[in-house]
């Protein structure tokens, strides 16, 4: 069965089948190979992309902007200081107008509802570049990086150590459930991923063969192919910093914690930006097991793949 994604939005990854995710990952690999050639195709020529940002970004903005621009597309960056988005104009109306002028829209911000409304009313593909709940384009780059190291992802073991209820952990749970990657969230009970998401993922994992576990015990790191962490306080939660330091101090990814995998070849992953000395030590993120920089580069290849698949 051939995969057709033209016209589709990417909102959570729950909305994509295993085959569709596989298609995007294979296309991203092809895009990565092409990126080293001197001839850059111009597949986005004549197309326009609105980049809406309520929260800051380095990787996501630069990945969308360079991937689209280098192939002849016209990206337009719009922060909340520039446009009406739920302020003096409803999100529905902004969506309707942007849909008349742009080929696609990327949104990064707070509420998942906002990106869903943009998709519903714009009539063009809308990409979730991070909300409080999900970070789907990040999860694609993460699995691409895991596959580069392990050769494949199905049956491999990925452990997320840190704030188990955040957007990155949640999107990893979704993609691992769909692809058959064994996934453990290692987090104190106060920061467990919410039960509703776990219930949505359970049947997906049953179909793919993924073992999904949530535990406070770092012994679950045994045998991990990859150890992943993210900041202890996500954007918009700055008032939680002290509480998170207290809860997550024992979960800092340092060499002693990496050693709990019991394997010399486990890799370290981080979506970045990192607070070195907090969720991860300098020696781990800047050491030989770290793939965080490849992961950052893979944001561009996976994001280009998503736009190619949904726009052409
Ligand atoms: N990983 C990630 O989304 O990075 P930015 O916040 O810099 O976009
Ligand atoms: N969980 C982090 C991810 C940053 C890419 C945040 O939302 O701030």
């Amino acid at each position: 069965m051939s995969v057709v994604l033209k016209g589709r939005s990417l909102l959570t990854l729950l909305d994509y089948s295993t085959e569709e995710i596989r298609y995007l990952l294979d296309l991203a690999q092809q895009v990565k190979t092409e990126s080293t050639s001197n001839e850059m195709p111009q597949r986005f020529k004549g197309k326009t992309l609105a980049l809406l940002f309520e929260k800051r970004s380095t990787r996501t903005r630069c990945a969308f902007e360079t991937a689209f621009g280098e192939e002849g597309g016209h990206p337009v960056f719009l922060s909340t200081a520039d446009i009406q988005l739920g302020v003096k104009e409803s999100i529905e109306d902004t969506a309707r107008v942007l849909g008349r002028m742009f080929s696609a829209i990327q949104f990064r911000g707070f509420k998942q509802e906002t990106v869903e409304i943009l998709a519903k009313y714009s009539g063009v593909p809308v990409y979730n570049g991070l909300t409080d709940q999900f970070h789907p384009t990040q999860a694609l780059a993460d699995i691409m990086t895991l596959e580069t190291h392990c050769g494949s992802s199905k049956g491999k073991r990925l452990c997320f150590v840190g704030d188990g209820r955040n957007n990155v952990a949640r999107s990893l749970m979704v993609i691992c459930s769909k692809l058959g990657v064994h996934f453990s969230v290692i987090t104190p009970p106060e920061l467990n991923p919410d039960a509703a998401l776990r219930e949505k993922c359970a049947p997906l994992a049953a179909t793919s063969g993924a073992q999904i576990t949530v535990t406070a015990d770092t012994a679950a790191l045994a045998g991990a192919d990859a150890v992943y962490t993210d900041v202890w306080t996500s954007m918009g939660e700055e008032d939680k910093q002290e509480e998170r330091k207290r809860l997550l101090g024992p979960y800092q990814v340092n060499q002693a914690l990496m050693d709990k995998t019991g394997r010399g070849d486990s890799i370290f992953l981080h979506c970045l930006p990192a607070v070195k000395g907090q969720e991860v030590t300098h020696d781990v993120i800047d050491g030989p097991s770290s793939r965080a920089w490849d992961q950052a580069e893979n944001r561009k290849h996976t994001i280009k793949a998503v736009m190619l698949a949904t726009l052409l």
Side-chain angles (χ1 to χ4, degrees):
M1 198 179 65
S2 67
V3 170
V4 179
L5 293 174
K6 189 171 164 63
R8 289 272 296 276
S9 292
L10 176 60
L11 303 177
T12 66
L13 274 176
L14 281 164
D15 42 352
Y16 276 56
S17 70
T18 301
E19 292 69 30
E20 289 166 345
I21 295 171
R22 187 68 260 154
Y23 176 84
L24 291 175
L25 287 166
D26 292 344
L27 183 57
Q29 197 55 56
Q30 201 180 309
V31 162
K32 186 168 190 165
T33 306
E34 282 169 8
S35 72
T36 55
S37 99
N38 292 331
E39 294 265 324
M40 183 61 68
Q42 296 291 291
R43 291 170 286 196
F44 299 127
K45 194 162 187 293
K47 298 200 183 294
T48 48
L49 171 68
L51 293 165
L52 272 48
F53 282 82
E54 287 179 344
K55 292 178 177 173
R56 288 185 185 205
S57 167
T58 299
R59 280 143 289 271
T60 308
R61 174 187 176 176
C62 295
F64 271 103
E65 202 161 323
T66 58
F68 198 66
E70 74 188 10
E71 293 221 16
H74 183 139
V76 177
F77 176 79
L78 298 161
S79 79
T80 43
D82 305 308
I83 58 162
Q84 313 288 4
L85 187 69
V87 183
K88 284 187 87 177
E89 183 170 64
S90 69
I91 297 160
E92 287 88 332
D93 287 358
T94 302
R96 288 183 175 108
V97 173
L98 294 179
R100 299 287 181 108
M101 299 185 188
F102 289 92
S103 315
I105 299 167
Q106 183 279 167
F107 172 79
R108 164 172 288 204
F110 295 90
K111 292 185 187 161
Q112 179 67 22
E113 190 192 0
T114 306
V115 78
E116 312 261 351
I117 294 171
L118 288 168
K120 185 169 174 191
Y121 289 92
S122 67
V124 296
V126 173
Y127 313 121
N128 178 357
L130 179 148
T131 61
D132 290 346
Q133 288 188 38
F134 291 108
H135 199 1
T137 63
Q138 179 69 54
L140 289 169
D142 300 341
I143 297 298
M144 183 180 184
T145 312
L146 181 72
E147 291 185 347
T148 300
H149 176 67
C150 298
S152 64
S153 55
K154 194 170 171 67
K156 300 298 184 299
R157 191 165 291 281
L158 172 64
C159 290
F160 179 93
V161 186
D163 175 11
R165 37 153 295 292
N166 85 8
N167 40 20
V168 169
R170 287 167 50 91
S171 284
L172 285 172
M173 185 178 287
V174 173
I175 202 166
C176 289
S177 300
K178 295 239 176 193
L179 295 179
V181 182
H182 304 315
F183 181 59
S184 298
V185 182
I186 303 175
T187 189
E190 293 89 338
L191 300 175
N192 275 349
D194 72 279
L197 184 70
R198 291 175 66 185
E199 277 164 28
K200 275 190 190 143
C201 288
L204 304 172
T207 303
S208 71
Q211 297 158 3
I212 308 292
T213 50
V214 177
T215 176
D217 190 353
T218 54
L221 284 159
D225 293 279
V227 180
Y228 195 127
T229 194
D230 183 12
V231 288
W232 288 346
T233 47
S234 289
M235 289 180 278
E237 301 186 325
E238 286 74 14
D239 60 325
K240 301 271 192 315
Q241 282 193 39
E242 290 313 309
E243 181 191 319
R244 294 290 164 74
K245 279 185 200 166
R246 182 174 55 77
L247 289 171
L248 289 168
Y251 295 88
Q252 181 190 62
V253 181
N254 49 38
Q255 195 52 52
L257 187 132
M258 287 296 293
D259 290 344
K260 291 190 181 196
T261 68
R263 298 175 49 162
D265 61 348
S266 309
I267 56 169
F268 170 75
L269 298 173
H270 195 308
C271 55
L272 304 174
V275 184
K276 296 180 187 181
Q278 209 169 83
E279 75 272 5
V280 61
T281 52
H282 286 74
D283 58 326
V284 170
I285 193 167
D286 293 323
S289 62
S290 176
R291 296 293 180 277
W293 318 109
D294 296 335
Q295 207 181 340
E297 179 193 324
N298 288 339
R299 297 295 311 287
K300 179 169 171 177
H301 305 309
T302 44
I303 280 170
K304 188 184 273 190
V306 169
M307 294 193 291
L308 287 171
T310 56
L311 279 175
L312 301 190

